[in-house]
Amino acid sequence: MRIHRGCLYCGKELTGRTDKKYCNLHCKSAYQYQKIKEQPERFYNKVDNQLRLNRRLLKEYNKAGKSVIRSEVLTGQGFNPKFHTHHWKNQKGEIYHFVYEYGFLQKTENRKEKYVLVTWQKYMENR
């Protein structure tokens, strides 16, 4: 006795093996993709995605090795200063936060929030 079942993705009636779940590879792939999209994003993925976005923005706005940019420009594009990989303290006591090799220092000048963007240098390793 054969049980008639439908494809898990499109519902089309299946023929062939009794343990078959999908009518073709497209339906199998689409069903798996749909299941993954329904699952909530894992914490690790959220952190990794934010770090990648932060690094990309810092790299994009710091072509010269050191630059200054208004904070609303970066935060408007999704930059989140709470996500960084490490920090470095200079001789003045200012703390630069880094996302891998690109760093930033939050400053307020003339009541406007700004970021000083820098690139990691060899001399920073010894502190």
Side-chain angles (χ1 to χ4, degrees):
M1 180 173 184
R2 176 161 165 79
I3 300 172
H4 294 284
R5 288 190 294 171
C7 173
L8 291 177
Y9 184 69
C10 69
K12 182 178 171 184
E13 186 176 332
L14 299 173
T15 59
R17 294 181 11 202
T18 57
D19 61 342
K20 196 172 181 182
K21 296 179 182 180
Y22 313 99
C23 56
N24 58 37
L25 287 177
H26 170 73
C27 282
K28 180 179 180 180
S29 178
Y31 182 79
Q32 296 299 331
Y33 181 76
Q34 179 183 6
K35 292 296 278 183
I36 289 171
K37 286 307 235 181
E38 290 172 357
Q39 295 174 356
E41 190 176 21
R42 295 183 313 180
F43 179 73
Y44 167 81
N45 292 350
K46 288 180 184 179
V47 172
D48 190 46
N49 289 340
Q50 186 64 54
L51 285 173
R52 283 191 287 135
L53 175 64
N54 283 359
R55 182 186 180 277
R56 183 179 60 77
L57 290 171
L58 292 173
K59 180 181 180 182
E60 181 179 322
Y61 286 103
N62 188 15
K63 303 270 187 215
K66 184 174 182 181
S67 60
V68 178
I69 188 167
R70 291 187 324 267
S71 66
E72 64 262 11
V73 172
L74 285 178
T75 54
Q77 294 185 23
F79 181 79
N80 186 340
K82 293 179 182 178
F83 289 83
H84 54 275
T85 56
H86 59 287
H87 64 274
W88 174 74
K89 188 184 228 181
N90 67 7
Q91 291 176 342
K92 295 179 187 176
E94 299 170 320
I95 298 175
Y96 286 81
H97 298 281
F98 281 84
V99 181
Y100 303 108
E101 72 272 31
Y102 299 103
F104 62 94
L105 170 68
Q106 266 184 306
K107 280 194 156 195
T108 304
E109 293 178 358
N110 301 328
R111 297 186 316 206
K112 294 188 179 170
E113 289 290 321
K114 297 181 179 182
Y115 290 118
V116 177
L117 308 181
V118 296
T119 304
W120 184 263
Q121 303 294 317
K122 196 78 167 159
Y123 69 86
M124 295 175 174
E125 294 176 6
N126 297 331
R127 292 187 179 234

